[in-house]
Amino acid sequence: MAPSESGVTPEALSELLAKQAITEVVFRYARAIDRLDETLLRSVFHPGSRHNHFYEGPSSDPEAPTSAESPGDFVAFALGVLASFSRTHHQLGNTLIEFADNENARVESYFTAFHRMRPRGDPLAAENAYDTEMDYFVGGRYIDRFALRNGEWKIIERVGMTDWTRVEPPASQGFGEIDPRTVGHRAPDDFICQSD
């Protein structure tokens, strides 16, 4: 097709819009993880999506059978693990989107994740908890396959790559002096979750 007056072809515009839609799904994933928002987290995956990031199996299948050995799907697994941290923060970096065709894309997104581990004695602490709170950092990449179905780009497969990890004693000098109204919380108590 011929370019518009601005020199942009309809194909190029369509690709840019698709890249923006995909990027927003990746961003919504980070928000959902940090706010422990199950509904939002489930919304980024197409039915039948698969996961391999500290958990291998279905990404989002609320009907999947659960057992002592398996939470059923990645969403349940992630929400369970993240509850053992008092706070988390996922920061996204480089995102490269490569289209296989008009309905499929491969996406690589760099991330850095912070987790404040609950100490032993806290009823929500993980089995590997330390005697005191600890800060756990992870740097890695999400390698996703996205598909366009029913007009929506969503993840159909995710592999989480871990490039580095670090655990260290916490350092939060001055955190207690921050206005409590501006401290991040989990859904539904976080400011972003409040109605206007």
Side-chain angles (χ1 to χ4, degrees):
M1 289 201 142
S4 66
E5 289 182 22
S6 65
V8 177
T9 65
E11 293 82 6
L13 181 58
S14 178
E15 184 173 296
L16 284 172
L17 292 172
K19 284 185 175 186
Q20 183 61 36
I22 289 168
T23 301
E24 289 184 16
V25 170
V26 176
F27 291 169
R28 282 197 305 274
Y29 172 86
R31 175 187 280 178
I33 285 289
D34 289 333
R35 304 286 69 86
L36 294 187
D37 186 331
E38 180 177 358
T39 302
L40 185 59
L41 187 55
R42 290 193 183 281
S43 77
V44 303
F45 301 106
H46 277 306
S49 177
R50 302 292 296 171
H51 223 90
N52 185 357
H53 184 55
F54 301 113
Y55 167 88
E56 190 166 0
S59 298
S60 177
D61 182 1
E63 303 302 318
T66 61
S67 67
E69 295 79 35
S70 173
D73 66 8
F74 170 77
V75 171
F77 166 80
L79 295 176
V81 168
L82 293 170
S84 71
F85 303 114
S86 59
R87 23 187 96 260
T88 61
H89 181 93
H90 288 67
Q91 188 71 41
L92 299 169
N94 310 346
T95 299
L96 182 62
I97 301 168
E98 300 167 324
F99 291 99
D101 53 42
N102 292 335
E103 297 181 348
N104 295 278
R106 183 177 172 146
V107 181
E108 178 187 40
S109 305
Y110 280 65
F111 72 87
T112 306
F114 161 81
H115 311 78
R116 174 63 54 89
M117 299 174 70
R118 297 178 189 274
R120 279 191 192 128
D122 184 315
L124 296 178
E127 290 182 18
N128 65 341
Y130 292 79
D131 290 338
T132 63
E133 289 185 324
M134 294 293 282
D135 287 345
Y136 173 48
F137 299 90
V138 180
R141 292 165 290 136
Y142 301 125
I143 310 296
D144 296 325
R145 284 193 317 118
F146 270 74
L148 179 64
R149 295 179 182 165
N150 300 316
E152 290 188 284
W153 285 99
K154 292 186 180 185
I155 299 167
I156 59 169
E157 181 182 25
R158 168 163 284 183
V159 175
M161 304 298 296
T162 303
D163 293 327
W164 57 266
T165 65
R166 182 175 176 168
V167 177
E168 60 187 44
S172 296
Q173 181 65 28
F175 193 76
E177 299 167 10
I178 298 172
D179 181 343
R181 297 172 297 171
T182 63
V183 172
H185 297 281
R186 294 188 165 153
D189 300 321
D190 190 74
F191 181 81
I192 198 70
C193 302
Q194 305 300 312
S195 60
D196 294 328

